[in-house]
Amino acid sequence: MNDDIKAIEAATWTYLDGLYEGDVEKLGQVFHPSSALTQSLEGELKIVPRAEWFEAVRNRASPKAAGLARGDHVLTIDLVGPSLALVKVKCQMPPRYFTDLLSFVKLDGKWVVAQKVFMTETA
């Protein structure tokens, strides 16, 4: 079980590094090809497929390139069972601050994100 927690934490930091650096290759290591991002936006459920999100990441300045301070935190890792985990993180791209819930599944011995549900706050 401890090895699973370590693997999930490492995958989570790969995700956070990819976000900060704008590195779609790193994000692709963590997010399953069928994954999507989900949020409630103006009272509506908005779902963005991984490919569409990756395109947006490619076409924007990364927080690192913009010289923004890094403020990532892994808040919880809940190993629900042998093939399911939920990770809660906080990250930022000022003036936007994010809380992400990452649903991890273990496939072929590797932990990957099946779904990201998130909210955004602005300062």
Side-chain angles (χ1 to χ4, degrees):
M1 188 182 305
N2 195 29
D3 288 342
D4 285 322
I5 296 285
K6 287 178 183 176
I8 294 163
E9 184 175 22
T12 300
W13 281 105
T14 297
Y15 158 64
L16 292 168
D17 290 345
L19 273 183
Y20 183 70
E21 298 164 10
D23 188 334
V24 173
E25 185 175 312
K26 284 184 180 178
L27 297 173
Q29 294 173 22
V30 178
F31 280 75
H32 189 271
S34 68
S35 64
L37 283 65
T38 302
Q39 74 178 120
S40 173
L41 192 61
E42 298 174 4
E44 298 289 329
L45 190 65
K46 181 175 181 185
I47 300 172
V48 177
R50 183 183 98 149
E52 187 177 325
W53 174 49
F54 282 9
E55 191 62 27
V57 171
R58 280 186 197 95
N59 292 317
R60 71 177 182 215
S62 72
K64 182 178 181 178
L68 298 175
R70 190 158 181 186
D72 306 327
H73 304 282
V74 178
L75 301 175
T76 60
I77 298 175
D78 183 2
L79 185 58
V80 178
S83 63
L84 178 64
L86 182 65
V87 176
K88 181 178 177 183
V89 301
K90 291 237 181 216
C91 54
Q92 64 185 27
M93 286 192 282
R96 296 173 296 160
Y97 297 84
F98 299 89
T99 302
D100 299 346
L101 300 177
L102 306 173
S103 296
F104 276 87
V105 294
K106 192 174 188 180
L107 300 173
D108 298 322
K110 181 181 177 188
W111 287 96
V112 294
V113 175
Q115 185 72 22
K116 170 182 163 177
V117 179
F118 71 101
M119 63 177 250
T120 306
E121 299 171 287
T122 54

